Amino acid sequence: MKKASPRAASTAKKAPASFPVIEVSHLSKTYGKRTTAFKALDNINLKIFPGESVAIIGKSGSGKSTLMHLMALLDKPTSGTVKVLGINASKLKGKKLNRLRNKYFGFVFQQFFMNSNDTVLENVLLPLKIGKVSRFKRKKLALKALDIVDLENKAKNKATNLSGGQKQRVCIARAIVNNPKILFADEPTGNLDSGTGKKIIDLLFGLNQKGTTLIIVTHDEDLAALCDRQIRIVDGQVVNESKQKAGYIRRTAIKEGQKEDR
Amino acid sequence: MKLTDIITAANRNLLKNKVRSFLTILAIFVGSFTIILNSAINAGVNDYIDSQINAMGGEGYLEMTPTATMDMMESMMSSKVSEYSDEKKDASQSISFKSEDFEKIKKIDGVKSVYPIYLSQEDYVTSPYTDKKYEISLNGTVEGFELDMETGEMPNVSKDNTKFEVAITKKYVTLLGFKDNEDAVGKTIQFGVPSTAKCYTVAKRSDCQTVVEATITGVQADGILTIGGGARANAALLNEIHRINSIGMPAENADVAYQATAFVDPDKIDQIKEELKKMNITAMTIDDEIGTFRTFLDAMVAILNVFGGIALLAAAIGIINTLFMSVQERTREIGLMKALGMSRAKIFLSFSVEAISLGFWGSIFGMLVSMTIGYAGNTFLHSEGMFLENLPTFHFVKFTPEVILPIIVLVMAIAFVAGTAPALKAAKKDPIDALRYE
């Protein structure tokens, strides 16, 4: 995929006074009760701005997935608040919450979560189906999303017949089919070899450069380093927030990936 | 998710597990097949009985007999010896109607008309187209009867009609030398009618017989109430036969009615029966007469429905099991759909629709197979040598939307109820747990 002036894009999206798409304050999550209580997240505060790419990095069990689930409104915090697009999520119930997730979020999972007996096309248009988009329109949008991940020719194939990398690309197509504001990716390269992983990385950052906010949960330092910002979680707390010279590093990484492709 | 999408998805999910879905549908099929076929037979038989009752004047038709006759017949049939008492004899009175009885009956609220049945006896029937004579039993027909006519019309029953008219049953068509029903209509046949008193004095029976000619107005379809019955005559013909029968008898012996019929308001039938009972008259509707048969039929239907119900209950457990397995297998899919913004209600609906679809397909197959077997059975029973051979209008099974639809809806409702527990389990799944599930 062609990368159009990443430097310019990254300057544009760091424009000041932008309004956070996700704002987390004093967020805690405790599992279990009393003696068995386990604090998965402890007083987390962070803001994510539109167009940013953010890595939530930590070891297995650090609480990074829990944080992503809370930000994606898949789970409810024990205390603290999550604001999405300026709306306090705890005030959102049922229909509105489902609509928000359906319209503004995209999800890429490590284990793909595809319905293996359905066709690739069916898998990609699932969010639109849930969002009551008409049959004709959702097919059009799904094919467009598949075109972006370069799998348009596999639309009619059964999902089960794809390779791991192709599956993850289908997942990306599914995640972007609703043209989301925020894309959550949970270990997107975790199950892939490094070559295929790089293709996925290219795709994700390509979308990011077109304006989609990207939140990647990973334990992979190299992947995290490609993001604008790294939020390191240890034992449920943010220990270190760092900003990389993202554009430079990313561009290098992409170039290397392209070389390997050749 | 739109409802059409949910329905399509539910059926596609059923297709993904073909064997499992098929077996569940099979169980539902057995139950719905039993109940649908059973109900169709019930509807068919009852429909036929109703049409036969209407042929006999409908619900408002009463047959009246002096209670003394009934008691006498009962004591004849009984093996017990009853003690004699003067009071009982006085109370039971005569075994025939008195002429003032008819005036009294007419005055009872709800009685529209009363017809005394006088003794009428005919020895044989014959026609110019045959050399043979046949025994026949001739019954009357009065206003209000709707005879089940295959060809032609009922005899004209109006009081002004002085022509002798008769509707014969189908079996007499060929016996009397006609080619077919159409050939018989409008032709004249002869009845040999005895003058009973004279017959004691002559050497040969034919010497006391008078030939009466009557016109065939139509041919009746054979039915359960026409078997044994030969033909139905209008009042003019019956009166003529009665006149010939009574020649040489004293008038007080001649005009004796042992039975009578009446048309009454069907809603007042119970009060009228009570009034008649006080007059020592036993009244019965056609329904009373075939009541035991109906009771038997209803009991059979009830028993078969219980079997069908048990099969459906087992099928319902099958549905619960199938759906629980489906929920378990699709935990991840459910989690994903929830994460992608599908509501609890829609998840619940998806699984409910799956259950309802199982019920729908099971009952549809049940319907198709029971219709096939029902119609084939009906044809078989009407074929030569079978017991419905002579009853062409008796449709053993009746499949109408009114019979079938309520059953399909009921089966779908049972399936829905069976599906609620698994559907609720699916709806309650936490997307996080569902997505973590390995």
Side-chain angles (χ1 to χ4, degrees):
Chain A
M1 192 179 284
K2 208 184 160 212
K3 295 281 157 279
S5 130
R7 176 75 70 186
S10 76
T11 349
K13 73 191 174 196
K14 292 220 171 60
S18 88
F19 199 68
V21 281
I22 293 182
E23 186 178 356
V24 167
S25 36
H26 309 295
L27 197 70
S28 296
K29 177 76 182 176
T30 309
Y31 291 110
K33 274 177 187 164
R34 292 188 187 174
T35 49
T36 59
F38 165 70
K39 215 160 198 179
L41 289 178
D42 188 8
N43 196 23
I44 307 269
N45 293 288
L46 58 91
K47 286 177 184 173
I48 293 170
F49 292 93
E52 261 194 311
S53 58
V54 178
I56 298 170
I57 187 165
K59 291 205 171 73
S60 163
S62 59
K64 60 184 192 303
S65 289
T66 306
L67 178 59
M68 188 198 90
H69 292 151
L70 287 171
M71 290 197 295
L73 311 182
L74 292 170
D75 207 352
K76 292 223 160 22
T78 313
S79 65
T81 55
V82 178
K83 276 188 181 173
V84 175
L85 305 166
I87 308 160
N88 189 340
S90 65
K91 300 242 165 73
L92 285 176
K93 291 248 156 58
K95 238 184 194 172
K96 281 184 181 163
L97 185 66
N98 285 326
R99 214 181 108 81
L100 182 80
R101 273 211 302 265
N102 186 257
K103 300 281 176 214
Y104 297 102
F105 291 175
F107 294 97
V108 179
F109 303 99
Q110 180 182 9
Q111 298 97 333
F112 317 136
F113 296 132
M114 313 248 291
N115 296 328
S116 48
N117 283 316
D118 283 338
T119 62
V120 166
L121 187 72
E122 281 290 327
N123 270 290
V124 173
L125 55 72
L126 185 63
L128 302 177
K129 210 184 208 180
I130 291 169
K132 293 186 179 178
V133 175
S134 76
R135 222 167 256 266
F136 175 76
K137 198 174 168 196
R138 70 191 181 213
K139 195 181 169 186
K140 209 174 96 182
L141 290 172
L143 286 172
K144 204 175 130 195
L146 278 171
D147 185 41
I148 292 172
V149 299
D150 224 5
L151 277 176
E152 206 182 0
N153 57 337
K154 298 274 185 194
K156 294 265 186 295
N157 287 35
K158 283 250 166 112
T160 180
N161 297 334
L162 301 179
S163 72
Q166 286 172 329
K167 275 183 187 165
Q168 195 58 299
R169 273 147 74 195
V170 172
C171 281
I172 291 172
R174 182 178 65 196
I176 62 172
V177 75
N178 55 347
N179 196 18
K181 291 263 182 296
I182 306 162
L183 192 59
F184 293 95
D186 190 359
E187 301 282 9
T189 56
N191 274 348
L192 305 173
D193 64 76
S194 59
T196 336
K198 281 209 171 69
K199 268 188 199 162
I200 298 300
I201 290 163
D202 282 359
L203 266 173
L204 290 175
F205 283 101
L207 289 163
N208 174 237
Q209 298 208 314
K210 283 182 185 146
T212 310
T213 310
L214 182 62
I215 300 172
I216 299 177
V217 174
T218 186
H219 65 272
D220 179 351
E221 298 284 350
D222 296 339
L223 174 58
L226 294 174
C227 294
D228 297 338
R229 199 143 59 95
Q230 290 74 32
I231 299 166
R232 195 171 298 275
I233 309 273
V234 175
D235 295 334
Q237 285 176 314
V238 177
V239 290
N240 176 18
E241 221 181 304
S242 62
K243 288 186 184 180
Q244 303 273 351
K245 288 178 186 167
Y248 174 72
I249 295 168
R250 191 193 313 156
R251 191 169 45 187
T252 324
I254 288 164
K255 276 192 176 160
E256 278 171 12
Q258 281 167 344
K259 265 179 214 157
E260 275 171 33
D261 280 351
R262 280 171 204 145
Chain B
M1 228 177 185
K2 291 177 188 168
L3 191 60
T4 48
D5 287 331
I6 289 180
I7 293 170
T8 328
N11 280 288
R12 201 184 295 165
N13 279 326
L14 292 182
L15 277 177
K16 277 181 199 160
N17 271 300
K18 283 189 194 72
V19 175
R20 197 168 70 193
S21 303
F22 172 75
L23 290 174
T24 314
I25 288 173
L26 192 67
I28 303 163
F29 156 78
V30 171
S32 26
F33 164 78
T34 313
I35 294 179
I36 291 176
L37 187 60
N38 196 19
S39 304
I41 293 173
N42 186 30
V45 173
N46 270 314
D47 223 41
Y48 186 68
I49 291 174
D50 286 341
S51 79
Q52 293 295 306
I53 288 174
N54 282 336
M56 292 294 294
E59 287 173 34
Y61 180 73
L62 277 184
E63 280 187 359
M64 296 177 290
T65 317
T67 308
T69 313
M70 304 299 284
D71 289 346
M72 198 174 74
M73 282 168 67
E74 204 173 303
S75 73
M76 276 163 67
M77 307 286 281
S78 164
S79 55
K80 248 170 53 189
V81 179
S82 304
E83 202 188 330
Y84 171 82
S85 82
D86 281 339
E87 292 78 22
K88 222 166 113 186
K89 270 290 159 205
D90 280 341
S92 64
Q93 295 174 341
S94 164
I95 59 161
S96 63
F97 286 91
K98 293 183 286 269
S99 51
E100 65 260 33
D101 285 343
F102 297 118
E103 294 307 315
K104 274 196 225 163
I105 294 169
K106 262 183 208 164
K107 280 179 194 144
I108 298 173
D109 182 33
V111 175
K112 291 172 189 161
S113 52
V114 185
Y115 301 91
I117 299 176
Y118 296 111
L119 184 77
S120 69
Q121 189 195 346
E122 54 288 324
D123 282 351
Y124 65 83
V125 65
T126 187
S127 83
Y129 316 99
T130 177
D131 303 330
K132 293 194 175 127
K133 293 171 179 177
Y134 297 97
E135 290 183 352
I136 191 164
S137 125
L138 200 58
N139 292 308
T141 175
V142 288
E143 243 168 309
F145 274 40
E146 288 169 30
L147 295 183
D148 194 1
M149 300 303 294
E150 217 168 83
T151 317
E153 283 162 19
M154 280 174 58
N156 184 343
V157 294
S158 93
K159 277 178 186 148
D160 312 326
N161 184 22
T162 54
K163 278 183 255 166
F164 302 153
E165 292 179 347
V166 66
I168 58 171
T169 45
K170 214 181 164 192
K171 55 193 165 195
Y172 280 96
V173 171
T174 42
L175 290 178
L176 291 174
F178 300 112
K179 284 200 291 284
D180 50 31
N181 289 359
E182 283 76 14
D183 187 33
V185 175
K187 297 276 163 55
T188 305
I189 53 173
Q190 288 92 27
F191 291 96
V193 182
S195 301
T196 318
K198 202 177 163 191
C199 287
Y200 292 111
T201 62
V202 295
K204 266 168 64 193
R205 182 80 178 182
S206 58
D207 291 341
C208 66
Q209 286 169 341
T210 310
V211 171
V212 177
E213 295 201 326
T215 310
I216 298 171
T217 58
V219 179
Q220 295 179 68
D222 279 328
I224 41 173
L225 297 173
T226 56
I227 293 175
R232 293 215 172 248
N234 65 347
L237 178 57
L238 280 184
N239 287 340
E240 175 65 7
I241 292 171
H242 176 64
R243 191 189 63 77
I244 295 166
N245 285 159
S246 320
I247 290 172
M249 273 190 206
E252 63 267 31
N253 282 7
D255 288 342
V256 171
Y258 295 97
Q259 274 195 310
T261 60
F263 279 99
V264 302
D265 182 349
D267 297 332
K268 291 179 181 159
I269 238 158
D270 288 334
Q271 294 107 281
I272 294 167
K273 275 188 190 167
E274 272 308 303
E275 287 296 315
L276 290 168
K277 204 174 169 188
K278 283 180 204 154
M279 293 170 63
N280 287 314
I281 295 166
T282 303
M284 283 173 103
T285 59
I286 304 290
D287 228 4
D288 290 337
E289 284 173 39
I290 55 175
T292 42
F293 178 67
R294 281 227 202 205
T295 316
F296 171 73
L297 183 74
D298 288 347
M300 270 231 334
V301 166
I303 290 168
L304 284 172
N305 274 342
V306 166
F307 285 137
I310 292 170
L312 276 185
L313 192 73
I317 295 167
I319 293 174
I320 298 175
N321 188 34
T322 302
L323 285 185
F324 266 129
M325 281 165 77
S326 187
V327 171
Q328 195 67 20
E329 278 169 16
R330 282 155 58 198
T331 296
R332 226 179 227 186
E333 192 187 328
I334 295 163
L336 176 72
M337 292 204 287
K338 285 194 124 182
L340 296 179
M342 189 133 153
S343 65
R344 272 176 174 223
K346 287 285 162 66
I347 300 265
F348 178 84
L349 194 64
S350 306
F351 281 90
S352 290
V353 167
E354 220 169 285
I356 293 169
S357 298
L358 285 169
F360 175 76
W361 292 118
S363 54
I364 288 293
F365 290 135
M367 178 189 80
L368 293 177
V369 174
S370 62
M371 280 175 89
T372 312
I373 291 181
Y375 284 131
N378 194 42
T379 312
F380 174 69
L381 290 176
H382 279 103
S383 62
E384 235 178 285
M386 299 310 293
F387 80 103
L388 292 182
E389 189 192 347
N390 296 318
L391 304 175
T393 54
F394 187 173
H395 299 296
F396 197 62
V397 286
K398 185 186 171 203
F399 294 99
T400 56
E402 298 91 81
V403 175
I404 296 169
L405 277 183
I407 299 169
I408 293 180
V409 171
L410 175 79
V411 172
M412 285 165 77
I414 290 172
F416 167 76
V417 172
T420 46
L424 215 59
K425 189 185 172 190
K428 278 185 179 164
K429 273 200 190 293
D430 187 340
I432 302 294
D433 292 342
L435 290 175
R436 277 204 203 109
Y437 173 86
E438 293 294 325

